[in-house]
Amino acid sequence: MDRFIIKGGRKLKGAIEISGSKNAALPVLMCTLLTDEPCIINRVPDLRDVRITIKILEELGKKVSYDKGTVTVAHKHKLATAVSHDLVKQMRASFWVAGPLLARFKKAAIPLPGGCAIGVRPVDIHLKGFEKLGAKCATERGNVVIKAKKLSAAKIILSFPSVGATLNLMMCAALIKGTTVLENAAREPEVDDVIKALQSMGASIGMDEHGHIIIEGAGKLSGMNHTVIADRIETGTYLLAAAATRGDVLLKECNPQHNEILLEYLREAGFNIETGESGISISAGAKKIKPVNIKTAPYPGFATDLQAPWMTLMCLCAGAADVSEDIFENRFMHAPELVRMGADIIIDKTAAKITGVKNFTPAAVMASDLRGGAALVIAALCARGASEVERVYHIDRGYERMEEKLVGLGANIRRFNPVSAE
Ligand code: EPZ
């Protein structure tokens, strides 16, 4: 398994380009299941999760090519309606193909996605929504089997603004005649990007002033030529890396509007932030990092995916800061690893109390999940000396060419595979 070797203590300086959004690219790729016509999706980041999604589309019967960020999806044969456990167990979001398959073939059999390091990750909100649309859902030998004699438009009130459930139900309703309304739906920018992709396929879908998603189902959808939005979580991660190393960095091809609350909190913490049409620059302002308390929340609240990198920054604050993880039940696995690097963090269930320290000390640490791994990389970039971050495969799920981009900002980081080195 690859690991990063990082010699920290340098300020990040320079400019890098932000990649397309993983969490928009995955559902947009799944929208191609709604049509037999060719689809082109641009600015798709080269990540493990994208490669798994492409394998799922191919397993279902699509012909897929991927070249320099552009994915072309064409019809090969009648789509299958079952996905293998081998792929679903590698990526929970595979469950999102249920919506398109159910809409087209009135059935879908998807292995129940297991939990993961950050939580149990149930799919009850997805299934309740499918039942509202007229489907029957049953769990047989670890598979969720969803069938419908007839699907009908409905008003669905989600018990929680689940991103995945919103996407799954949107894609399903796009082919169901009549008006389906999703209330208490997720409003993340990635949901908005999928709405745009569906509109470009001929779907009549939009979000009203209450945040309700209204879908006038069509009998058939055309192909698309869609460019994915910038990755706001990658943007936030590099902003926090620049902040923690007291650097001076410009991020290009990003969307400042999708990171508003983070930019606000970074200004409160004492950093200089300048924003342009498609760029954000950050530089150290005040001498000391001011403590700022955060609570994670659905968009436009503070993104749970930025909680771990934010915690790393607060470990260096002048004072004490609270972090409350209100979305997932177990998203602090990075905390004990940060403590091994000298941080002072007390965890009480989903609340963390951080007391600032002067700096991290180098150590060998292990990533347990995607964003926690990024938090450990940021800590290693600050620590004077050589640190190792193991299980980089977690990081490769969501950060395109991380070590290349960080070297571009002056970091001393390299990928190392102990096995191939023997
Ligand atoms: C998406 O996951 C993202 N993944 C996650 O990013 C992100 O953390 C999450 O949304 C929240 O923003 C992708 O886009 C591929 P949810 P998703 O359904 O859809 C509970 C990353 O790092 N819930 O909004 O799975 C659930 O347990 C990943 O890129 C139910 O109880 O998240 C969680 O506590 C990690 N029942 C909360 O809702 C359900 O049926 C939010 O989950 C569904 C969800």
Side-chain angles (χ1 to χ4, degrees):
M1 286 184 212
D2 288 2
R3 59 184 70 174
F4 281 151
I5 295 178
I6 299 167
K7 288 202 177 69
R10 298 181 177 194
K11 294 172 190 270
L12 295 182
K13 287 194 180 303
I16 52 168
E17 217 171 275
I18 294 298
S19 301
S21 161
K22 162 178 92 83
N23 292 350
L26 303 186
V28 171
L29 285 167
M30 294 171 190
C31 285
T32 64
L33 296 168
L34 290 165
T35 181
D36 285 342
E37 292 186 21
C39 295
I40 297 171
I41 299 114
N42 311 295
R43 199 182 183 186
V44 177
D46 191 356
L47 301 167
R48 262 183 76 216
D49 280 10
V50 165
R51 294 284 176 177
I52 293 170
T53 303
I54 289 172
K55 282 205 186 99
I56 289 169
L57 295 180
E58 289 171 333
E59 182 183 74
L60 288 169
K62 288 288 187 180
K63 185 170 175 305
V64 187
S65 65
Y66 183 24
D67 180 40
K68 298 190 190 66
T70 293
V71 177
T72 307
V73 183
H75 178 71
K76 196 164 96 181
H77 57 66
K78 186 173 182 310
L79 293 179
T81 57
V83 182
S84 68
H85 181 236
D86 179 48
L87 289 172
V88 174
K89 73 183 179 194
Q90 295 180 58
M91 187 185 76
R92 302 188 64 271
S94 322
F95 191 72
W96 302 354
V97 300
L101 295 177
L102 180 62
R104 289 200 65 189
F105 308 104
K106 305 284 186 298
K107 64 178 175 178
I110 322 273
L112 197 57
C116 69
I118 63 176
V120 173
R121 312 290 294 272
V123 290
D124 55 307
I125 302 173
H126 301 240
L127 302 184
K128 280 198 193 97
F130 289 139
E131 285 166 355
K132 271 272 184 188
L133 294 170
K136 292 243 174 311
C137 304
T139 306
E140 295 162 17
R141 292 195 303 282
N143 277 320
V144 179
V145 179
I146 310 166
K147 288 182 183 151
K149 285 200 179 58
K150 182 176 176 315
L151 290 169
S152 322
K155 179 171 105 167
I156 301 169
I157 303 174
L158 281 75
S159 56
F160 179 87
S162 152
V163 172
T166 299
L167 295 166
N168 227 339
L169 295 169
M170 256 169 41
M171 290 189 278
C172 189
L175 286 182
I176 300 174
K177 282 212 178 333
T179 306
T180 293
V181 179
L182 303 183
E183 290 190 13
N184 196 31
R187 305 178 176 200
E188 272 66 1
E190 295 76 27
V191 171
D192 195 44
D193 202 31
V194 172
I195 287 174
K196 288 193 174 60
L198 287 168
Q199 286 169 341
S200 75
M201 295 172 76
S204 162
I205 177 171
M207 195 182 280
D208 70 12
E209 66 281 12
H210 309 291
H212 298 164
I213 296 176
I214 295 152
I215 306 125
E216 286 299 333
K220 202 169 161 341
L221 291 176
S222 66
M224 72 171 105
N225 187 329
H226 181 80
T227 299
V228 164
I229 55 172
D231 192 315
R232 66 187 169 105
I233 306 302
E234 185 193 29
T235 302
T237 304
Y238 285 114
L239 283 170
L240 288 161
T245 60
R246 323 285 289 151
D248 188 344
V249 165
L250 167 66
L251 302 182
K252 299 189 287 189
E253 303 306 314
C254 58
N255 185 338
Q257 284 170 358
H258 292 164
N259 287 96
E260 278 185 350
I261 195 163
L262 173 67
L263 298 180
E264 181 53 35
Y265 287 176
L266 282 170
R267 288 188 178 105
E268 263 184 57
F271 292 91
N272 297 325
I273 302 276
E274 301 287 325
T275 60
E277 182 66 21
S278 60
I280 304 174
S281 66
I282 181 169
S283 59
K287 261 204 141 346
K288 293 185 181 298
I289 298 169
K290 297 190 185 82
V292 175
N293 300 332
I294 64 145
K295 280 173 167 297
T296 63
Y299 190 86
F302 194 94
T304 174
D305 293 350
L306 289 174
Q307 174 262 109
W310 175 266
M311 183 183 281
T312 298
L313 178 67
M314 285 297 108
C315 286
L316 302 175
C317 80
D322 296 328
V323 168
S324 177
E325 173 51 64
D326 293 355
I327 302 288
F328 288 103
E329 66 269 29
N330 185 35
R331 203 167 193 178
F332 284 147
M333 278 81 52
H334 47 286
E337 296 298 289
L338 290 172
V339 168
R340 294 185 57 244
M341 295 183 75
D344 179 349
I345 307 169
I346 297 169
I347 301 288
D348 175 12
K349 299 193 188 70
T350 58
K353 176 160 270 320
I354 304 152
T355 305
V357 295
K358 207 164 163 1
N359 197 359
F360 292 101
T361 48
V365 288
M366 190 170 75
S368 311
D369 66 279
L370 163 58
R371 310 302 175 180
L376 299 178
V377 168
I378 297 174
L381 290 168
C382 299
R384 289 192 200 318
S387 297
E388 290 194 11
V389 178
E390 295 166 22
R391 300 195 175 177
V392 166
Y393 65 86
H394 287 294
I395 297 173
D396 291 339
R397 293 190 56 188
Y399 293 96
E400 191 177 39
R401 297 178 287 110
M402 177 182 262
E403 68 268 35
E404 208 180 293
K405 293 193 180 187
L406 286 172
V407 165
L409 293 175
N412 181 335
I413 175 173
R414 68 185 176 85
R415 183 181 290 258
F416 172 73
N417 183 321
V419 173
S420 55
E422 272 162 22

PDB file of all heavy atoms in Angstrom, residues 33-37 100 103-106 171-178 201-204 215-222:
ATOM      1  N   LEU A  33     -27.203   6.329 -17.327  1.00  0.00           N
ATOM      2  CA  LEU A  33     -28.028   5.103 -17.350  1.00  0.00           C
ATOM      3  C   LEU A  33     -29.475   5.413 -17.737  1.00  0.00           C
ATOM      4  O   LEU A  33     -30.248   4.514 -18.055  1.00  0.00           O
ATOM      5  CB  LEU A  33     -27.997   4.418 -15.975  1.00  0.00           C
ATOM      6  CG  LEU A  33     -26.634   3.905 -15.511  1.00  0.00           C
ATOM      7  CD1 LEU A  33     -26.680   3.518 -14.029  1.00  0.00           C
ATOM      8  CD2 LEU A  33     -26.171   2.730 -16.369  1.00  0.00           C
ATOM      9  N   LEU A  34     -29.831   6.699 -17.716  1.00  0.00           N
ATOM     10  CA  LEU A  34     -31.214   7.092 -18.014  1.00  0.00           C
ATOM     11  C   LEU A  34     -31.491   7.164 -19.521  1.00  0.00           C
ATOM     12  O   LEU A  34     -32.628   7.408 -19.928  1.00  0.00           O
ATOM     13  CB  LEU A  34     -31.526   8.455 -17.372  1.00  0.00           C
ATOM     14  CG  LEU A  34     -31.615   8.471 -15.844  1.00  0.00           C
ATOM     15  CD1 LEU A  34     -31.567   9.901 -15.307  1.00  0.00           C
ATOM     16  CD2 LEU A  34     -32.888   7.762 -15.369  1.00  0.00           C
ATOM     17  N   THR A  35     -30.450   6.977 -20.334  1.00  0.00           N
ATOM     18  CA  THR A  35     -30.635   7.104 -21.774  1.00  0.00           C
ATOM     19  C   THR A  35     -29.739   6.106 -22.516  1.00  0.00           C
ATOM     20  O   THR A  35     -28.741   5.652 -21.960  1.00  0.00           O
ATOM     21  CB  THR A  35     -30.307   8.537 -22.244  1.00  0.00           C
ATOM     22  OG1 THR A  35     -30.514   8.624 -23.659  1.00  0.00           O
ATOM     23  CG2 THR A  35     -28.846   8.891 -21.944  1.00  0.00           C
ATOM     24  N   ASP A  36     -30.133   5.774 -23.766  1.00  0.00           N
ATOM     25  CA  ASP A  36     -29.246   4.950 -24.601  1.00  0.00           C
ATOM     26  C   ASP A  36     -28.414   5.838 -25.516  1.00  0.00           C
ATOM     27  O   ASP A  36     -27.555   5.352 -26.248  1.00  0.00           O
ATOM     28  CB  ASP A  36     -30.074   3.967 -25.468  1.00  0.00           C
ATOM     29  CG  ASP A  36     -30.616   2.816 -24.623  1.00  0.00           C
ATOM     30  OD1 ASP A  36     -30.086   2.606 -23.506  1.00  0.00           O
ATOM     31  OD2 ASP A  36     -31.580   2.154 -25.054  1.00  0.00           O
ATOM     32  N   GLU A  37     -28.693   7.140 -25.462  1.00  0.00           N
ATOM     33  CA  GLU A  37     -27.956   8.032 -26.373  1.00  0.00           C
ATOM     34  C   GLU A  37     -26.566   8.327 -25.809  1.00  0.00           C
ATOM     35  O   GLU A  37     -26.357   8.235 -24.590  1.00  0.00           O
ATOM     36  CB  GLU A  37     -28.757   9.327 -26.576  1.00  0.00           C
ATOM     37  CG  GLU A  37     -30.043   9.055 -27.355  1.00  0.00           C
ATOM     38  CD  GLU A  37     -30.780  10.359 -27.683  1.00  0.00           C
ATOM     39  OE1 GLU A  37     -30.113  11.423 -27.674  1.00  0.00           O
ATOM     40  OE2 GLU A  37     -31.996  10.289 -27.897  1.00  0.00           O
ATOM     41  N   PRO A 100     -31.835   5.280 -11.409  1.00  0.00           N
ATOM     42  CA  PRO A 100     -31.958   5.188 -12.878  1.00  0.00           C
ATOM     43  C   PRO A 100     -32.433   3.806 -13.344  1.00  0.00           C
ATOM     44  O   PRO A 100     -33.280   3.692 -14.220  1.00  0.00           O
ATOM     45  CB  PRO A 100     -30.536   5.466 -13.370  1.00  0.00           C
ATOM     46  CG  PRO A 100     -29.825   6.139 -12.255  1.00  0.00           C
ATOM     47  CD  PRO A 100     -30.496   5.730 -10.997  1.00  0.00           C
ATOM     48  N   ALA A 103     -36.122   3.370 -12.660  1.00  0.00           N
ATOM     49  CA  ALA A 103     -36.924   4.207 -13.563  1.00  0.00           C
ATOM     50  C   ALA A 103     -37.032   3.569 -14.946  1.00  0.00           C
ATOM     51  O   ALA A 103     -38.083   3.574 -15.574  1.00  0.00           O
ATOM     52  CB  ALA A 103     -36.281   5.589 -13.671  1.00  0.00           C
ATOM     53  N   ARG A 104     -35.947   2.969 -15.427  1.00  0.00           N
ATOM     54  CA  ARG A 104     -35.972   2.440 -16.798  1.00  0.00           C
ATOM     55  C   ARG A 104     -36.534   1.033 -16.898  1.00  0.00           C
ATOM     56  O   ARG A 104     -37.183   0.679 -17.880  1.00  0.00           O
ATOM     57  CB  ARG A 104     -34.552   2.452 -17.392  1.00  0.00           C
ATOM     58  CG  ARG A 104     -34.053   3.841 -17.705  1.00  0.00           C
ATOM     59  CD  ARG A 104     -32.930   3.857 -18.678  1.00  0.00           C
ATOM     60  NE  ARG A 104     -33.303   3.384 -19.995  1.00  0.00           N
ATOM     61  CZ  ARG A 104     -32.398   3.159 -20.953  1.00  0.00           C
ATOM     62  NH1 ARG A 104     -31.107   3.315 -20.683  1.00  0.00           N
ATOM     63  NH2 ARG A 104     -32.757   2.747 -22.149  1.00  0.00           N
ATOM     64  N   PHE A 105     -36.217   0.189 -15.890  1.00  0.00           N
ATOM     65  CA  PHE A 105     -36.552  -1.235 -16.016  1.00  0.00           C
ATOM     66  C   PHE A 105     -37.490  -1.739 -14.922  1.00  0.00           C
ATOM     67  O   PHE A 105     -37.741  -2.924 -14.807  1.00  0.00           O
ATOM     68  CB  PHE A 105     -35.252  -2.069 -16.042  1.00  0.00           C
ATOM     69  CG  PHE A 105     -34.286  -1.583 -17.070  1.00  0.00           C
ATOM     70  CD1 PHE A 105     -33.165  -0.839 -16.692  1.00  0.00           C
ATOM     71  CD2 PHE A 105     -34.519  -1.797 -18.428  1.00  0.00           C
ATOM     72  CE1 PHE A 105     -32.277  -0.351 -17.640  1.00  0.00           C
ATOM     73  CE2 PHE A 105     -33.640  -1.316 -19.388  1.00  0.00           C
ATOM     74  CZ  PHE A 105     -32.513  -0.595 -19.007  1.00  0.00           C
ATOM     75  N   LYS A 106     -37.944  -0.826 -14.071  1.00  0.00           N
ATOM     76  CA  LYS A 106     -38.855  -1.161 -12.969  1.00  0.00           C
ATOM     77  C   LYS A 106     -38.230  -2.173 -12.003  1.00  0.00           C
ATOM     78  O   LYS A 106     -38.935  -2.853 -11.249  1.00  0.00           O
ATOM     79  CB  LYS A 106     -40.191  -1.738 -13.502  1.00  0.00           C
ATOM     80  CG  LYS A 106     -40.889  -0.845 -14.495  1.00  0.00           C
ATOM     81  CD  LYS A 106     -41.572   0.336 -13.811  1.00  0.00           C
ATOM     82  CE  LYS A 106     -42.391   1.152 -14.804  1.00  0.00           C
ATOM     83  NZ  LYS A 106     -41.537   1.745 -15.864  1.00  0.00           N
ATOM     84  N   MET A 171     -33.020  11.197 -10.009  1.00  0.00           N
ATOM     85  CA  MET A 171     -32.741  10.443 -11.236  1.00  0.00           C
ATOM     86  C   MET A 171     -33.907   9.508 -11.543  1.00  0.00           C
ATOM     87  O   MET A 171     -34.309   9.365 -12.694  1.00  0.00           O
ATOM     88  CB  MET A 171     -31.428   9.655 -11.093  1.00  0.00           C
ATOM     89  CG  MET A 171     -30.191  10.531 -11.074  1.00  0.00           C
ATOM     90  SD  MET A 171     -28.641   9.597 -11.162  1.00  0.00           S
ATOM     91  CE  MET A 171     -28.432   9.108  -9.455  1.00  0.00           C
ATOM     92  N   CYS A 172     -34.491   8.921 -10.516  1.00  0.00           N
ATOM     93  CA  CYS A 172     -35.629   8.011 -10.735  1.00  0.00           C
ATOM     94  C   CYS A 172     -36.836   8.792 -11.260  1.00  0.00           C
ATOM     95  O   CYS A 172     -37.428   8.444 -12.286  1.00  0.00           O
ATOM     96  CB  CYS A 172     -35.977   7.312  -9.425  1.00  0.00           C
ATOM     97  SG  CYS A 172     -37.186   5.983  -9.649  1.00  0.00           S
ATOM     98  N   ALA A 173     -37.144   9.890 -10.604  1.00  0.00           N
ATOM     99  CA  ALA A 173     -38.357  10.663 -10.957  1.00  0.00           C
ATOM    100  C   ALA A 173     -38.259  11.293 -12.342  1.00  0.00           C
ATOM    101  O   ALA A 173     -39.276  11.593 -12.972  1.00  0.00           O
ATOM    102  CB  ALA A 173     -38.598  11.744  -9.912  1.00  0.00           C
ATOM    103  N   ALA A 174     -37.032  11.455 -12.834  1.00  0.00           N
ATOM    104  CA  ALA A 174     -36.839  12.131 -14.141  1.00  0.00           C
ATOM    105  C   ALA A 174     -37.534  11.391 -15.270  1.00  0.00           C
ATOM    106  O   ALA A 174     -37.843  11.974 -16.305  1.00  0.00           O
ATOM    107  CB  ALA A 174     -35.350  12.266 -14.438  1.00  0.00           C
ATOM    108  N   LEU A 175     -37.812  10.084 -15.067  1.00  0.00           N
ATOM    109  CA  LEU A 175     -38.473   9.296 -16.122  1.00  0.00           C
ATOM    110  C   LEU A 175     -39.891   8.889 -15.742  1.00  0.00           C
ATOM    111  O   LEU A 175     -40.511   8.062 -16.416  1.00  0.00           O
ATOM    112  CB  LEU A 175     -37.652   8.037 -16.432  1.00  0.00           C
ATOM    113  CG  LEU A 175     -36.358   8.222 -17.223  1.00  0.00           C
ATOM    114  CD1 LEU A 175     -35.687   6.870 -17.480  1.00  0.00           C
ATOM    115  CD2 LEU A 175     -36.604   8.937 -18.544  1.00  0.00           C
ATOM    116  N   ILE A 176     -40.409   9.422 -14.645  1.00  0.00           N
ATOM    117  CA  ILE A 176     -41.771   9.041 -14.219  1.00  0.00           C
ATOM    118  C   ILE A 176     -42.735  10.168 -14.594  1.00  0.00           C
ATOM    119  O   ILE A 176     -42.573  11.301 -14.157  1.00  0.00           O
ATOM    120  CB  ILE A 176     -41.836   8.808 -12.692  1.00  0.00           C
ATOM    121  CG1 ILE A 176     -40.875   7.696 -12.264  1.00  0.00           C
ATOM    122  CG2 ILE A 176     -43.264   8.464 -12.276  1.00  0.00           C
ATOM    123  CD1 ILE A 176     -40.791   7.508 -10.754  1.00  0.00           C
ATOM    124  N   LYS A 177     -43.710   9.831 -15.437  1.00  0.00           N
ATOM    125  CA  LYS A 177     -44.665  10.863 -15.903  1.00  0.00           C
ATOM    126  C   LYS A 177     -45.355  11.511 -14.704  1.00  0.00           C
ATOM    127  O   LYS A 177     -45.664  10.826 -13.711  1.00  0.00           O
ATOM    128  CB  LYS A 177     -45.705  10.202 -16.811  1.00  0.00           C
ATOM    129  CG  LYS A 177     -45.164   9.940 -18.234  1.00  0.00           C
ATOM    130  CD  LYS A 177     -46.275  10.047 -19.239  1.00  0.00           C
ATOM    131  CE  LYS A 177     -45.831   9.840 -20.698  1.00  0.00           C
ATOM    132  NZ  LYS A 177     -44.446  10.178 -21.016  1.00  0.00           N
ATOM    133  N   GLY A 178     -45.576  12.840 -14.808  1.00  0.00           N
ATOM    134  CA  GLY A 178     -46.240  13.528 -13.705  1.00  0.00           C
ATOM    135  C   GLY A 178     -45.244  14.374 -12.909  1.00  0.00           C
ATOM    136  O   GLY A 178     -44.059  14.423 -13.225  1.00  0.00           O
ATOM    137  N   MET A 201     -30.305  16.933 -20.572  1.00  0.00           N
ATOM    138  CA  MET A 201     -30.791  15.680 -21.197  1.00  0.00           C
ATOM    139  C   MET A 201     -32.264  15.787 -21.573  1.00  0.00           C
ATOM    140  O   MET A 201     -32.871  14.827 -22.046  1.00  0.00           O
ATOM    141  CB  MET A 201     -30.590  14.503 -20.215  1.00  0.00           C
ATOM    142  CG  MET A 201     -29.147  14.201 -19.898  1.00  0.00           C
ATOM    143  SD  MET A 201     -28.997  12.977 -18.570  1.00  0.00           S
ATOM    144  CE  MET A 201     -29.400  11.477 -19.469  1.00  0.00           C
ATOM    145  N   GLY A 202     -32.838  16.964 -21.291  1.00  0.00           N
ATOM    146  CA  GLY A 202     -34.244  17.182 -21.649  1.00  0.00           C
ATOM    147  C   GLY A 202     -35.201  17.010 -20.496  1.00  0.00           C
ATOM    148  O   GLY A 202     -36.426  17.091 -20.666  1.00  0.00           O
ATOM    149  N   ALA A 203     -34.671  16.808 -19.285  1.00  0.00           N
ATOM    150  CA  ALA A 203     -35.574  16.646 -18.123  1.00  0.00           C
ATOM    151  C   ALA A 203     -36.100  18.010 -17.710  1.00  0.00           C
ATOM    152  O   ALA A 203     -35.388  19.015 -17.816  1.00  0.00           O
ATOM    153  CB  ALA A 203     -34.831  16.012 -16.959  1.00  0.00           C
ATOM    154  N   SER A 204     -37.349  18.012 -17.236  1.00  0.00           N
ATOM    155  CA  SER A 204     -37.899  19.259 -16.710  1.00  0.00           C
ATOM    156  C   SER A 204     -37.784  19.166 -15.194  1.00  0.00           C
ATOM    157  O   SER A 204     -38.570  18.475 -14.525  1.00  0.00           O
ATOM    158  CB  SER A 204     -39.370  19.369 -17.137  1.00  0.00           C
ATOM    159  OG  SER A 204     -40.001  20.317 -16.305  1.00  0.00           O
ATOM    160  N   ILE A 215     -39.847  17.857 -10.274  1.00  0.00           N
ATOM    161  CA  ILE A 215     -39.474  17.097 -11.472  1.00  0.00           C
ATOM    162  C   ILE A 215     -40.725  16.746 -12.264  1.00  0.00           C
ATOM    163  O   ILE A 215     -41.643  16.112 -11.730  1.00  0.00           O
ATOM    164  CB  ILE A 215     -38.747  15.790 -11.082  1.00  0.00           C
ATOM    165  CG1 ILE A 215     -37.551  16.092 -10.150  1.00  0.00           C
ATOM    166  CG2 ILE A 215     -38.301  15.017 -12.312  1.00  0.00           C
ATOM    167  CD1 ILE A 215     -37.575  15.326  -8.847  1.00  0.00           C
ATOM    168  N   GLU A 216     -40.777  17.209 -13.530  1.00  0.00           N
ATOM    169  CA  GLU A 216     -41.858  16.798 -14.441  1.00  0.00           C
ATOM    170  C   GLU A 216     -41.284  15.639 -15.241  1.00  0.00           C
ATOM    171  O   GLU A 216     -40.473  15.852 -16.142  1.00  0.00           O
ATOM    172  CB  GLU A 216     -42.206  17.939 -15.414  1.00  0.00           C
ATOM    173  CG  GLU A 216     -42.982  19.092 -14.838  1.00  0.00           C
ATOM    174  CD  GLU A 216     -44.333  18.646 -14.284  1.00  0.00           C
ATOM    175  OE1 GLU A 216     -44.871  17.627 -14.772  1.00  0.00           O
ATOM    176  OE2 GLU A 216     -44.801  19.316 -13.350  1.00  0.00           O
ATOM    177  N   GLY A 217     -41.619  14.417 -14.894  1.00  0.00           N
ATOM    178  CA  GLY A 217     -40.982  13.257 -15.519  1.00  0.00           C
ATOM    179  C   GLY A 217     -41.232  13.193 -17.023  1.00  0.00           C
ATOM    180  O   GLY A 217     -42.301  13.550 -17.507  1.00  0.00           O
ATOM    181  N   ALA A 218     -40.195  12.770 -17.740  1.00  0.00           N
ATOM    182  CA  ALA A 218     -40.327  12.616 -19.213  1.00  0.00           C
ATOM    183  C   ALA A 218     -40.327  11.122 -19.543  1.00  0.00           C
ATOM    184  O   ALA A 218     -39.818  10.311 -18.766  1.00  0.00           O
ATOM    185  CB  ALA A 218     -39.116  13.276 -19.868  1.00  0.00           C
ATOM    186  N   GLY A 219     -40.898  10.785 -20.709  1.00  0.00           N
ATOM    187  CA  GLY A 219     -40.893   9.363 -21.073  1.00  0.00           C
ATOM    188  C   GLY A 219     -39.488   8.913 -21.460  1.00  0.00           C
ATOM    189  O   GLY A 219     -39.079   7.788 -21.209  1.00  0.00           O
ATOM    190  N   LYS A 220     -38.708   9.868 -22.046  1.00  0.00           N
ATOM    191  CA  LYS A 220     -37.408   9.480 -22.585  1.00  0.00           C
ATOM    192  C   LYS A 220     -36.446  10.661 -22.411  1.00  0.00           C
ATOM    193  O   LYS A 220     -36.877  11.815 -22.429  1.00  0.00           O
ATOM    194  CB  LYS A 220     -37.599   9.189 -24.100  1.00  0.00           C
ATOM    195  CG  LYS A 220     -36.576   8.300 -24.747  1.00  0.00           C
ATOM    196  CD  LYS A 220     -37.070   7.892 -26.147  1.00  0.00           C
ATOM    197  CE  LYS A 220     -36.012   7.381 -27.093  1.00  0.00           C
ATOM    198  NZ  LYS A 220     -34.635   7.684 -26.830  1.00  0.00           N
ATOM    199  N   LEU A 221     -35.192  10.433 -22.227  1.00  0.00           N
ATOM    200  CA  LEU A 221     -34.209  11.519 -22.120  1.00  0.00           C
ATOM    201  C   LEU A 221     -33.135  11.350 -23.192  1.00  0.00           C
ATOM    202  O   LEU A 221     -32.838  10.222 -23.616  1.00  0.00           O
ATOM    203  CB  LEU A 221     -33.578  11.522 -20.728  1.00  0.00           C
ATOM    204  CG  LEU A 221     -34.509  11.942 -19.579  1.00  0.00           C
ATOM    205  CD1 LEU A 221     -33.787  11.811 -18.232  1.00  0.00           C
ATOM    206  CD2 LEU A 221     -35.033  13.353 -19.756  1.00  0.00           C
ATOM    207  N   SER A 222     -32.570  12.476 -23.613  1.00  0.00           N
ATOM    208  CA  SER A 222     -31.519  12.420 -24.639  1.00  0.00           C
ATOM    209  C   SER A 222     -30.152  12.292 -23.949  1.00  0.00           C
ATOM    210  O   SER A 222     -30.081  12.198 -22.722  1.00  0.00           O
ATOM    211  CB  SER A 222     -31.538  13.733 -25.443  1.00  0.00           C
ATOM    212  OG  SER A 222     -31.152  14.791 -24.571  1.00  0.00           O
TER     213      SER A 222
END
